[in-house]
Amino acid sequence: MTAGTPSTLAYETFVSDRVAALEPRAVVAGHKNKELADDPAILDQTRQYLVDAIRLLGDKPTAREFYDRMAALYPDRLNRGPLWYGAVGLLGG
């Protein structure tokens, strides 16, 4: 698997599911609003984000199209830098 490919993203959803199956009391996210709690619900939110990314990648978008569509789906994300860098890494600039 190549980093950032749909198959890698699918694997990441599998990992998220495995962690959720452990029923953790807290999950610390790496890129989050520091005002938010370390709530295990972040696992479901992350999984949905990955599922949406895989779905959008299936449409064969440009990096800009992918970025714009993900930003529209998740307008409240704090730091969009990783989204842009990921789009360029996945789809070229």
Side-chain angles (χ1 to χ4, degrees):
M1 287 186 284
T2 304
T5 64
S7 62
T8 303
L9 296 175
Y11 178 74
E12 290 176 21
T13 63
F14 167 76
V15 170
S16 180
D17 290 344
R18 294 293 302 248
V19 173
L22 297 173
E23 299 180 5
R25 288 179 285 165
V27 175
V28 180
H31 297 278
K32 75 166 191 151
N33 180 338
K34 66 181 179 180
E35 303 300 319
L36 297 176
D38 294 326
D39 190 327
I42 192 73
L43 293 170
D44 291 332
Q45 295 164 9
T46 298
R47 185 180 200 293
Q48 186 59 53
Y49 189 89
L50 293 168
V51 167
D52 288 335
I54 293 165
R55 179 177 51 80
L56 294 179
L57 288 169
D59 294 340
K60 308 287 187 220
T62 65
R64 183 63 199 211
E65 291 167 340
F66 178 76
Y67 174 87
D68 288 344
R69 290 176 70 189
M70 286 296 287
L73 287 173
Y74 296 92
D76 296 330
R77 289 286 168 134
L78 202 57
N79 181 359
R80 291 194 182 166
L83 173 57
W84 176 246
Y85 300 132
V88 171
L90 284 167
L91 302 164

